Amino acid sequence: MRVGFLNVNWTDILDVFLVSILLYQIYFLVRGSIASRVFLGYLFVYVFYLVVKGLGLGLLTAILQYFMGVGAVALIVIFQQEIRRFLLIIGKSTIYTNNEFLKKILGSTVLDLKNKNLREIVDASKTIASNFNGALIVLNKRDDLGKFIETGELLDARVSKPLIVSLFNQYSELHDGAVVIVDGRLKAARCVLPVADGVDVPSSLGFRHRAAMGMSEATDAVVIVISEQTGKISLAVEGELLGNIPLAELENRLSEYLSSDVQRLVQ
């Protein structure tokens, strides 16, 4: 098919369609941040480069081509947080996580064990919050949390309210860092979590809440974070922080997220 002076076939249409989807997804990831302005500026320069190249302006094309090459490296540095988030989204969309048959065979027993321990975790959270002791409690969903467990003190203990409360007692040597619970077992305490440091993270958040957001962004785990100053309970899911969760809703929200593929906690 010929459009004006251009020869267009179905592969060109598919190419433009796929590029449009890619650009939209990139913009969706960076919108609302300073990086979005950088992205739009770079996109404008690239379009200008294509026009100049099409017109046959050799010197200007060479200059812009050099700029595009250097700019590609600069973009990797500027957009490192967004690139990481994009790759995490792709990594979470695996065959296993979307296969209902495999989940029913391999995940039903584990899920029952997780839900069984939620009451202990919620009761412990209530006590910790009433005592104004800060806490970070990580509950896995499907992702492997082994590298985070290795940063703390290995326990591999049965989940119980007294154990969790004692770990976050201000006089405990293990109260710093996070407790990681995997498949209904308290695997480790005093674990180090990745800290969210993007431009969209409110500056008013403390280190504990930033760590909760960073962990939920890096994995599909849900993180309970209890403020030492206010005693309020928050949940971090998929990089989002839900503040001041009522105790009456905490168990239901945890159970709903851990047993579903959809991020319903943010609704």
mmCIF file of all heavy atoms in Angstrom, residues 33-82:
data_model
loop_
_atom_site.group_PDB
_atom_site.id
_atom_site.type_symbol
_atom_site.label_atom_id
_atom_site.label_comp_id
_atom_site.label_asym_id
_atom_site.label_seq_id
_atom_site.Cartn_x
_atom_site.Cartn_y
_atom_site.Cartn_z
ATOM 1 N N SER A 33 6.446 12.505 37.478
ATOM 2 C CA SER A 33 7.755 12.711 38.078
ATOM 3 C C SER A 33 8.606 13.597 37.172
ATOM 4 O O SER A 33 8.239 13.904 36.042
ATOM 5 C CB SER A 33 8.459 11.360 38.292
ATOM 6 O OG SER A 33 8.715 10.735 37.043
ATOM 7 N N ILE A 34 9.746 14.004 37.691
ATOM 8 C CA ILE A 34 10.666 14.817 36.902
ATOM 9 C C ILE A 34 11.151 14.038 35.688
ATOM 10 O O ILE A 34 11.399 14.605 34.618
ATOM 11 C CB ILE A 34 11.859 15.262 37.777
ATOM 12 C CG1 ILE A 34 11.363 16.126 38.936
ATOM 13 C CG2 ILE A 34 12.892 16.016 36.961
ATOM 14 C CD1 ILE A 34 12.440 16.529 39.906
ATOM 15 N N ALA A 35 11.261 12.723 35.842
ATOM 16 C CA ALA A 35 11.738 11.880 34.751
ATOM 17 C C ALA A 35 10.831 11.965 33.534
ATOM 18 O O ALA A 35 11.290 11.792 32.403
ATOM 19 C CB ALA A 35 11.846 10.429 35.225
ATOM 20 N N SER A 36 9.546 12.239 33.741
ATOM 21 C CA SER A 36 8.621 12.327 32.609
ATOM 22 C C SER A 36 8.988 13.486 31.698
ATOM 23 O O SER A 36 8.876 13.390 30.478
ATOM 24 C CB SER A 36 7.181 12.479 33.117
ATOM 25 O OG SER A 36 7.021 13.679 33.845
ATOM 26 N N ARG A 37 9.440 14.593 32.267
ATOM 27 C CA ARG A 37 9.850 15.739 31.459
ATOM 28 C C ARG A 37 11.114 15.420 30.668
ATOM 29 O O ARG A 37 11.251 15.819 29.514
ATOM 30 C CB ARG A 37 10.091 16.953 32.360
ATOM 31 C CG ARG A 37 8.851 17.370 33.160
ATOM 32 C CD ARG A 37 9.158 18.539 34.070
ATOM 33 N NE ARG A 37 7.993 18.886 34.888
ATOM 34 C CZ ARG A 37 8.009 19.845 35.804
ATOM 35 N NH1 ARG A 37 9.110 20.554 36.017
ATOM 36 N NH2 ARG A 37 6.909 20.095 36.511
ATOM 37 N N VAL A 38 12.022 14.701 31.304
ATOM 38 C CA VAL A 38 13.242 14.288 30.611
ATOM 39 C C VAL A 38 12.898 13.361 29.458
ATOM 40 O O VAL A 38 13.443 13.482 28.352
ATOM 41 C CB VAL A 38 14.215 13.591 31.587
ATOM 42 C CG1 VAL A 38 15.462 13.116 30.858
ATOM 43 C CG2 VAL A 38 14.581 14.534 32.724
ATOM 44 N N PHE A 39 11.979 12.436 29.697
ATOM 45 C CA PHE A 39 11.566 11.494 28.662
ATOM 46 C C PHE A 39 10.942 12.220 27.466
ATOM 47 O O PHE A 39 11.265 11.921 26.319
ATOM 48 C CB PHE A 39 10.570 10.490 29.252
ATOM 49 C CG PHE A 39 9.920 9.602 28.228
ATOM 50 C CD1 PHE A 39 10.645 8.592 27.614
ATOM 51 C CD2 PHE A 39 8.596 9.777 27.877
ATOM 52 C CE1 PHE A 39 10.049 7.769 26.666
ATOM 53 C CE2 PHE A 39 7.990 8.964 26.940
ATOM 54 C CZ PHE A 39 8.715 7.955 26.326
ATOM 55 N N LEU A 40 10.054 13.170 27.728
ATOM 56 C CA LEU A 40 9.407 13.915 26.640
ATOM 57 C C LEU A 40 10.425 14.759 25.877
ATOM 58 O O LEU A 40 10.351 14.877 24.649
ATOM 59 C CB LEU A 40 8.293 14.805 27.203
ATOM 60 C CG LEU A 40 7.060 14.064 27.747
ATOM 61 C CD1 LEU A 40 6.082 15.051 28.367
ATOM 62 C CD2 LEU A 40 6.381 13.268 26.633
ATOM 63 N N GLY A 41 11.374 15.350 26.596
ATOM 64 C CA GLY A 41 12.421 16.134 25.937
ATOM 65 C C GLY A 41 13.283 15.276 25.034
ATOM 66 O O GLY A 41 13.592 15.654 23.897
ATOM 67 N N TYR A 42 13.667 14.103 25.529
ATOM 68 C CA TYR A 42 14.483 13.193 24.725
ATOM 69 C C TYR A 42 13.704 12.691 23.518
ATOM 70 O O TYR A 42 14.254 12.556 22.414
ATOM 71 C CB TYR A 42 14.940 12.021 25.597
ATOM 72 C CG TYR A 42 15.950 11.121 24.926
ATOM 73 C CD1 TYR A 42 17.302 11.433 24.951
ATOM 74 C CD2 TYR A 42 15.558 9.960 24.276
ATOM 75 C CE1 TYR A 42 18.246 10.604 24.342
ATOM 76 C CE2 TYR A 42 16.476 9.134 23.665
ATOM 77 C CZ TYR A 42 17.822 9.455 23.706
ATOM 78 O OH TYR A 42 18.734 8.646 23.092
ATOM 79 N N LEU A 43 12.413 12.427 23.699
ATOM 80 C CA LEU A 43 11.571 11.975 22.597
ATOM 81 C C LEU A 43 11.457 13.047 21.517
ATOM 82 O O LEU A 43 11.506 12.735 20.324
ATOM 83 C CB LEU A 43 10.179 11.612 23.125
ATOM 84 C CG LEU A 43 9.190 11.009 22.114
ATOM 85 C CD1 LEU A 43 9.726 9.695 21.559
ATOM 86 C CD2 LEU A 43 7.832 10.788 22.771
ATOM 87 N N PHE A 44 11.340 14.298 21.925
ATOM 88 C CA PHE A 44 11.269 15.401 20.975
ATOM 89 C C PHE A 44 12.566 15.508 20.164
ATOM 90 O O PHE A 44 12.535 15.683 18.933
ATOM 91 C CB PHE A 44 11.004 16.712 21.712
ATOM 92 C CG PHE A 44 11.059 17.927 20.836
ATOM 93 C CD1 PHE A 44 9.987 18.263 20.019
ATOM 94 C CD2 PHE A 44 12.193 18.741 20.813
ATOM 95 C CE1 PHE A 44 10.037 19.386 19.192
ATOM 96 C CE2 PHE A 44 12.257 19.855 19.998
ATOM 97 C CZ PHE A 44 11.175 20.182 19.182
ATOM 98 N N VAL A 45 13.701 15.390 20.856
ATOM 99 C CA VAL A 45 15.000 15.462 20.162
ATOM 100 C C VAL A 45 15.139 14.308 19.175
ATOM 101 O O VAL A 45 15.659 14.480 18.060
ATOM 102 C CB VAL A 45 16.158 15.447 21.187
ATOM 103 C CG1 VAL A 45 17.509 15.345 20.477
ATOM 104 C CG2 VAL A 45 16.118 16.700 22.048
ATOM 105 N N TYR A 46 14.653 13.125 19.555
ATOM 106 C CA TYR A 46 14.764 11.966 18.670
ATOM 107 C C TYR A 46 13.912 12.142 17.413
ATOM 108 O O TYR A 46 14.356 11.819 16.306
ATOM 109 C CB TYR A 46 14.332 10.705 19.415
ATOM 110 C CG TYR A 46 14.455 9.447 18.586
ATOM 111 C CD1 TYR A 46 15.710 8.938 18.246
ATOM 112 C CD2 TYR A 46 13.322 8.776 18.121
ATOM 113 C CE1 TYR A 46 15.833 7.792 17.467
ATOM 114 C CE2 TYR A 46 13.434 7.635 17.351
ATOM 115 C CZ TYR A 46 14.692 7.149 17.025
ATOM 116 O OH TYR A 46 14.807 6.026 16.252
ATOM 117 N N VAL A 47 12.696 12.673 17.581
ATOM 118 C CA VAL A 47 11.838 12.940 16.421
ATOM 119 C C VAL A 47 12.486 13.973 15.513
ATOM 120 O O VAL A 47 12.474 13.845 14.279
ATOM 121 C CB VAL A 47 10.445 13.409 16.882
ATOM 122 C CG1 VAL A 47 9.614 13.879 15.694
ATOM 123 C CG2 VAL A 47 9.718 12.285 17.622
ATOM 124 N N PHE A 48 13.079 14.999 16.119
ATOM 125 C CA PHE A 48 13.774 16.032 15.343
ATOM 126 C C PHE A 48 14.959 15.430 14.573
ATOM 127 O O PHE A 48 15.216 15.775 13.411
ATOM 128 C CB PHE A 48 14.251 17.145 16.271
ATOM 129 C CG PHE A 48 14.944 18.274 15.570
ATOM 130 C CD1 PHE A 48 14.243 19.102 14.690
ATOM 131 C CD2 PHE A 48 16.292 18.525 15.767
ATOM 132 C CE1 PHE A 48 14.870 20.143 14.031
ATOM 133 C CE2 PHE A 48 16.933 19.559 15.119
ATOM 134 C CZ PHE A 48 16.217 20.379 14.244
ATOM 135 N N TYR A 49 15.649 14.486 15.230
ATOM 136 C CA TYR A 49 16.768 13.791 14.585
ATOM 137 C C TYR A 49 16.296 13.001 13.362
ATOM 138 O O TYR A 49 16.949 13.021 12.300
ATOM 139 C CB TYR A 49 17.447 12.876 15.594
ATOM 140 C CG TYR A 49 18.290 11.778 14.980
ATOM 141 C CD1 TYR A 49 19.531 12.060 14.411
ATOM 142 C CD2 TYR A 49 17.841 10.453 14.960
ATOM 143 C CE1 TYR A 49 20.297 11.049 13.843
ATOM 144 C CE2 TYR A 49 18.600 9.449 14.398
ATOM 145 C CZ TYR A 49 19.824 9.754 13.840
ATOM 146 O OH TYR A 49 20.579 8.764 13.277
ATOM 147 N N LEU A 50 15.153 12.328 13.461
ATOM 148 C CA LEU A 50 14.621 11.569 12.339
ATOM 149 C C LEU A 50 14.240 12.484 11.178
ATOM 150 O O LEU A 50 14.463 12.148 10.010
ATOM 151 C CB LEU A 50 13.403 10.751 12.785
ATOM 152 C CG LEU A 50 13.660 9.617 13.798
ATOM 153 C CD1 LEU A 50 12.346 8.950 14.172
ATOM 154 C CD2 LEU A 50 14.637 8.592 13.233
ATOM 155 N N VAL A 51 13.666 13.649 11.508
ATOM 156 C CA VAL A 51 13.287 14.601 10.460
ATOM 157 C C VAL A 51 14.525 15.128 9.748
ATOM 158 O O VAL A 51 14.574 15.200 8.504
ATOM 159 C CB VAL A 51 12.474 15.763 11.073
ATOM 160 C CG1 VAL A 51 12.234 16.852 10.032
ATOM 161 C CG2 VAL A 51 11.149 15.253 11.625
ATOM 162 N N VAL A 52 15.531 15.498 10.525
ATOM 163 C CA VAL A 52 16.773 16.022 9.953
ATOM 164 C C VAL A 52 17.452 14.970 9.083
ATOM 165 O O VAL A 52 17.952 15.257 7.987
ATOM 166 C CB VAL A 52 17.714 16.497 11.077
ATOM 167 C CG1 VAL A 52 19.107 16.796 10.528
ATOM 168 C CG2 VAL A 52 17.140 17.730 11.761
ATOM 169 N N LYS A 53 17.458 13.738 9.562
ATOM 170 C CA LYS A 53 18.070 12.650 8.795
ATOM 171 C C LYS A 53 17.322 12.413 7.494
ATOM 172 O O LYS A 53 17.926 12.158 6.439
ATOM 173 C CB LYS A 53 18.096 11.382 9.643
ATOM 174 C CG LYS A 53 18.800 10.213 8.971
ATOM 175 C CD LYS A 53 18.830 8.996 9.897
ATOM 176 C CE LYS A 53 19.532 7.825 9.207
ATOM 177 N NZ LYS A 53 19.548 6.616 10.096
ATOM 178 N N GLY A 54 15.969 12.495 7.572
ATOM 179 C CA GLY A 54 15.166 12.309 6.372
ATOM 180 C C GLY A 54 15.383 13.398 5.340
ATOM 181 O O GLY A 54 15.295 13.153 4.135
ATOM 182 N N LEU A 55 15.668 14.609 5.815
ATOM 183 C CA LEU A 55 15.929 15.728 4.902
ATOM 184 C C LEU A 55 17.343 15.705 4.325
ATOM 185 O O LEU A 55 17.657 16.485 3.424
ATOM 186 C CB LEU A 55 15.685 17.058 5.624
ATOM 187 C CG LEU A 55 14.229 17.335 6.046
ATOM 188 C CD1 LEU A 55 14.157 18.623 6.858
ATOM 189 C CD2 LEU A 55 13.333 17.431 4.811
ATOM 190 N N GLY A 56 18.192 14.833 4.852
ATOM 191 C CA GLY A 56 19.548 14.704 4.321
ATOM 192 C C GLY A 56 20.508 15.768 4.791
ATOM 193 O O GLY A 56 21.498 16.052 4.102
ATOM 194 N N LEU A 57 20.281 16.377 5.930
ATOM 195 C CA LEU A 57 21.195 17.388 6.478
ATOM 196 C C LEU A 57 22.312 16.655 7.229
ATOM 197 O O LEU A 57 22.195 16.323 8.400
ATOM 198 C CB LEU A 57 20.438 18.338 7.404
ATOM 199 C CG LEU A 57 19.238 19.067 6.769
ATOM 200 C CD1 LEU A 57 18.548 19.961 7.785
ATOM 201 C CD2 LEU A 57 19.686 19.868 5.554
ATOM 202 N N GLY A 58 23.415 16.427 6.529
ATOM 203 C CA GLY A 58 24.480 15.560 7.020
ATOM 204 C C GLY A 58 25.134 16.026 8.299
ATOM 205 O O GLY A 58 25.302 15.245 9.241
ATOM 206 N N LEU A 59 25.547 17.305 8.368
ATOM 207 C CA LEU A 59 26.270 17.800 9.541
ATOM 208 C C LEU A 59 25.395 17.778 10.787
ATOM 209 O O LEU A 59 25.821 17.294 11.850
ATOM 210 C CB LEU A 59 26.769 19.228 9.276
ATOM 211 C CG LEU A 59 27.571 19.867 10.417
ATOM 212 C CD1 LEU A 59 28.805 19.033 10.736
ATOM 213 C CD2 LEU A 59 27.955 21.306 10.049
ATOM 214 N N LEU A 60 24.170 18.284 10.669
ATOM 215 C CA LEU A 60 23.260 18.301 11.814
ATOM 216 C C LEU A 60 22.889 16.882 12.231
ATOM 217 O O LEU A 60 22.730 16.581 13.418
ATOM 218 C CB LEU A 60 22.007 19.108 11.468
ATOM 219 C CG LEU A 60 21.052 19.424 12.626
ATOM 220 C CD1 LEU A 60 21.783 20.128 13.759
ATOM 221 C CD2 LEU A 60 19.886 20.283 12.136
ATOM 222 N N THR A 61 22.747 15.999 11.244
ATOM 223 C CA THR A 61 22.448 14.598 11.549
ATOM 224 C C THR A 61 23.563 13.960 12.362
ATOM 225 O O THR A 61 23.322 13.240 13.327
ATOM 226 C CB THR A 61 22.226 13.800 10.255
ATOM 227 O OG1 THR A 61 21.116 14.350 9.544
ATOM 228 C CG2 THR A 61 21.960 12.329 10.559
ATOM 229 N N ALA A 62 24.823 14.243 11.982
ATOM 230 C CA ALA A 62 25.972 13.682 12.695
ATOM 231 C C ALA A 62 26.029 14.184 14.134
ATOM 232 O O ALA A 62 26.327 13.417 15.062
ATOM 233 C CB ALA A 62 27.253 14.035 11.957
ATOM 234 N N ILE A 63 25.738 15.478 14.312
ATOM 235 C CA ILE A 63 25.758 16.046 15.664
ATOM 236 C C ILE A 63 24.676 15.413 16.536
ATOM 237 O O ILE A 63 24.928 15.010 17.676
ATOM 238 C CB ILE A 63 25.577 17.582 15.599
ATOM 239 C CG1 ILE A 63 26.778 18.223 14.889
ATOM 240 C CG2 ILE A 63 25.407 18.169 17.001
ATOM 241 C CD1 ILE A 63 26.624 19.709 14.652
ATOM 242 N N LEU A 64 23.478 15.340 15.974
ATOM 243 C CA LEU A 64 22.373 14.758 16.736
ATOM 244 C C LEU A 64 22.567 13.265 16.987
ATOM 245 O O LEU A 64 22.168 12.739 18.018
ATOM 246 C CB LEU A 64 21.050 14.989 16.004
ATOM 247 C CG LEU A 64 20.550 16.439 15.982
ATOM 248 C CD1 LEU A 64 19.298 16.557 15.133
ATOM 249 C CD2 LEU A 64 20.286 16.950 17.389
ATOM 250 N N GLN A 65 23.192 12.588 16.029
ATOM 251 C CA GLN A 65 23.448 11.158 16.195
ATOM 252 C C GLN A 65 24.406 10.919 17.358
ATOM 253 O O GLN A 65 24.225 9.984 18.145
ATOM 254 C CB GLN A 65 24.032 10.584 14.910
ATOM 255 C CG GLN A 65 24.107 9.061 14.895
ATOM 256 C CD GLN A 65 24.503 8.536 13.517
ATOM 257 O OE1 GLN A 65 24.968 9.288 12.655
ATOM 258 N NE2 GLN A 65 24.304 7.258 13.302
ATOM 259 N N TYR A 66 25.420 11.787 17.467
ATOM 260 C CA TYR A 66 26.357 11.679 18.595
ATOM 261 C C TYR A 66 25.621 11.961 19.910
ATOM 262 O O TYR A 66 25.813 11.273 20.915
ATOM 263 C CB TYR A 66 27.506 12.668 18.416
ATOM 264 C CG TYR A 66 28.463 12.704 19.583
ATOM 265 C CD1 TYR A 66 29.418 11.707 19.758
ATOM 266 C CD2 TYR A 66 28.394 13.741 20.521
ATOM 267 C CE1 TYR A 66 30.290 11.745 20.836
ATOM 268 C CE2 TYR A 66 29.255 13.781 21.606
ATOM 269 C CZ TYR A 66 30.195 12.785 21.755
ATOM 270 O OH TYR A 66 31.051 12.813 22.827
ATOM 271 N N PHE A 67 24.753 12.961 19.884
ATOM 272 C CA PHE A 67 23.976 13.310 21.080
ATOM 273 C C PHE A 67 23.068 12.155 21.489
ATOM 274 O O PHE A 67 22.916 11.857 22.684
ATOM 275 C CB PHE A 67 23.136 14.562 20.818
ATOM 276 C CG PHE A 67 22.194 14.916 21.938
ATOM 277 C CD1 PHE A 67 22.646 15.569 23.063
ATOM 278 C CD2 PHE A 67 20.849 14.560 21.868
ATOM 279 C CE1 PHE A 67 21.791 15.884 24.103
ATOM 280 C CE2 PHE A 67 19.978 14.864 22.898
ATOM 281 C CZ PHE A 67 20.449 15.538 24.017
ATOM 282 N N MET A 68 22.451 11.488 20.511
ATOM 283 C CA MET A 68 21.557 10.384 20.823
ATOM 284 C C MET A 68 22.319 9.218 21.457
ATOM 285 O O MET A 68 21.812 8.537 22.350
ATOM 286 C CB MET A 68 20.839 9.902 19.559
ATOM 287 C CG MET A 68 19.910 10.936 18.929
ATOM 288 S SD MET A 68 18.632 11.545 20.033
ATOM 289 C CE MET A 68 17.716 10.045 20.334
ATOM 290 N N GLY A 69 23.549 8.995 20.976
ATOM 291 C CA GLY A 69 24.349 7.912 21.531
ATOM 292 C C GLY A 69 24.720 8.162 22.989
ATOM 293 O O GLY A 69 24.603 7.278 23.838
ATOM 294 N N VAL A 70 25.166 9.390 23.270
ATOM 295 C CA VAL A 70 25.505 9.750 24.648
ATOM 296 C C VAL A 70 24.241 9.810 25.502
ATOM 297 O O VAL A 70 24.226 9.397 26.665
ATOM 298 C CB VAL A 70 26.238 11.109 24.682
ATOM 299 C CG1 VAL A 70 26.502 11.549 26.117
ATOM 300 C CG2 VAL A 70 27.545 11.024 23.903
ATOM 301 N N GLY A 71 23.149 10.316 24.897
ATOM 302 C CA GLY A 71 21.897 10.433 25.631
ATOM 303 C C GLY A 71 21.332 9.096 26.057
ATOM 304 O O GLY A 71 20.678 8.993 27.101
ATOM 305 N N ALA A 72 21.565 8.045 25.256
ATOM 306 C CA ALA A 72 21.064 6.715 25.618
ATOM 307 C C ALA A 72 21.681 6.235 26.926
ATOM 308 O O ALA A 72 20.997 5.642 27.774
ATOM 309 C CB ALA A 72 21.358 5.727 24.497
ATOM 310 N N VAL A 73 22.981 6.507 27.108
ATOM 311 C CA VAL A 73 23.652 6.130 28.358
ATOM 312 C C VAL A 73 23.120 6.972 29.513
ATOM 313 O O VAL A 73 22.886 6.464 30.625
ATOM 314 C CB VAL A 73 25.175 6.313 28.226
ATOM 315 C CG1 VAL A 73 25.877 5.969 29.537
ATOM 316 C CG2 VAL A 73 25.719 5.451 27.093
ATOM 317 N N ALA A 74 22.908 8.262 29.244
ATOM 318 C CA ALA A 74 22.381 9.143 30.290
ATOM 319 C C ALA A 74 20.994 8.723 30.726
ATOM 320 O O ALA A 74 20.643 8.799 31.914
ATOM 321 C CB ALA A 74 22.360 10.585 29.786
ATOM 322 N N LEU A 75 20.180 8.248 29.768
ATOM 323 C CA LEU A 75 18.821 7.819 30.101
ATOM 324 C C LEU A 75 18.819 6.622 31.040
ATOM 325 O O LEU A 75 17.953 6.509 31.920
ATOM 326 C CB LEU A 75 18.049 7.478 28.823
ATOM 327 C CG LEU A 75 17.537 8.662 27.999
ATOM 328 C CD1 LEU A 75 16.826 8.157 26.763
ATOM 329 C CD2 LEU A 75 16.602 9.525 28.822
ATOM 330 N N ILE A 76 19.779 5.711 30.859
ATOM 331 C CA ILE A 76 19.862 4.543 31.731
ATOM 332 C C ILE A 76 20.111 4.975 33.172
ATOM 333 O O ILE A 76 19.547 4.419 34.120
ATOM 334 C CB ILE A 76 20.969 3.592 31.249
ATOM 335 C CG1 ILE A 76 20.614 3.034 29.864
ATOM 336 C CG2 ILE A 76 21.193 2.456 32.244
ATOM 337 C CD1 ILE A 76 21.673 2.159 29.264
ATOM 338 N N VAL A 77 20.960 5.996 33.329
ATOM 339 C CA VAL A 77 21.249 6.508 34.670
ATOM 340 C C VAL A 77 20.046 7.249 35.244
ATOM 341 O O VAL A 77 19.652 7.049 36.398
ATOM 342 C CB VAL A 77 22.473 7.441 34.637
ATOM 343 C CG1 VAL A 77 22.742 8.031 36.017
ATOM 344 C CG2 VAL A 77 23.700 6.703 34.136
ATOM 345 N N ILE A 78 19.435 8.097 34.430
ATOM 346 C CA ILE A 78 18.306 8.909 34.891
ATOM 347 C C ILE A 78 17.099 8.049 35.221
ATOM 348 O O ILE A 78 16.412 8.257 36.214
ATOM 349 C CB ILE A 78 17.940 9.967 33.825
ATOM 350 C CG1 ILE A 78 19.092 10.955 33.651
ATOM 351 C CG2 ILE A 78 16.667 10.706 34.222
ATOM 352 C CD1 ILE A 78 18.887 11.924 32.506
ATOM 353 N N PHE A 79 16.849 7.037 34.379
ATOM 354 C CA PHE A 79 15.643 6.227 34.519
ATOM 355 C C PHE A 79 15.910 4.883 35.192
ATOM 356 O O PHE A 79 15.161 3.930 34.986
ATOM 357 C CB PHE A 79 15.014 5.972 33.150
ATOM 358 C CG PHE A 79 14.427 7.191 32.503
ATOM 359 C CD1 PHE A 79 15.098 7.837 31.489
ATOM 360 C CD2 PHE A 79 13.213 7.699 32.925
ATOM 361 C CE1 PHE A 79 14.563 8.959 30.889
ATOM 362 C CE2 PHE A 79 12.669 8.824 32.329
ATOM 363 C CZ PHE A 79 13.344 9.456 31.310
ATOM 364 N N GLN A 80 16.945 4.796 36.009
ATOM 365 C CA GLN A 80 17.270 3.504 36.611
ATOM 366 C C GLN A 80 16.135 2.979 37.487
ATOM 367 O O GLN A 80 15.842 1.776 37.493
ATOM 368 C CB GLN A 80 18.552 3.608 37.427
ATOM 369 C CG GLN A 80 18.542 4.669 38.506
ATOM 370 C CD GLN A 80 19.850 4.687 39.282
ATOM 371 O OE1 GLN A 80 20.452 3.657 39.515
ATOM 372 N NE2 GLN A 80 20.294 5.872 39.668
ATOM 373 N N GLN A 81 15.456 3.857 38.219
ATOM 374 C CA GLN A 81 14.335 3.415 39.047
ATOM 375 C C GLN A 81 13.176 2.926 38.188
ATOM 376 O O GLN A 81 12.550 1.904 38.481
ATOM 377 C CB GLN A 81 13.863 4.570 39.945
ATOM 378 C CG GLN A 81 14.863 4.981 41.013
ATOM 379 C CD GLN A 81 14.986 3.944 42.112
ATOM 380 O OE1 GLN A 81 14.088 3.134 42.309
ATOM 381 N NE2 GLN A 81 16.085 3.949 42.828
ATOM 382 N N GLU A 82 12.877 3.672 37.115
ATOM 383 C CA GLU A 82 11.758 3.301 36.244
ATOM 384 C C GLU A 82 12.048 2.017 35.473
ATOM 385 O O GLU A 82 11.163 1.179 35.279
ATOM 386 C CB GLU A 82 11.452 4.442 35.268
ATOM 387 C CG GLU A 82 10.732 5.628 35.882
ATOM 388 C CD GLU A 82 11.611 6.462 36.791
ATOM 389 O OE1 GLU A 82 12.855 6.360 36.680
ATOM 390 O OE2 GLU A 82 11.070 7.221 37.607
#
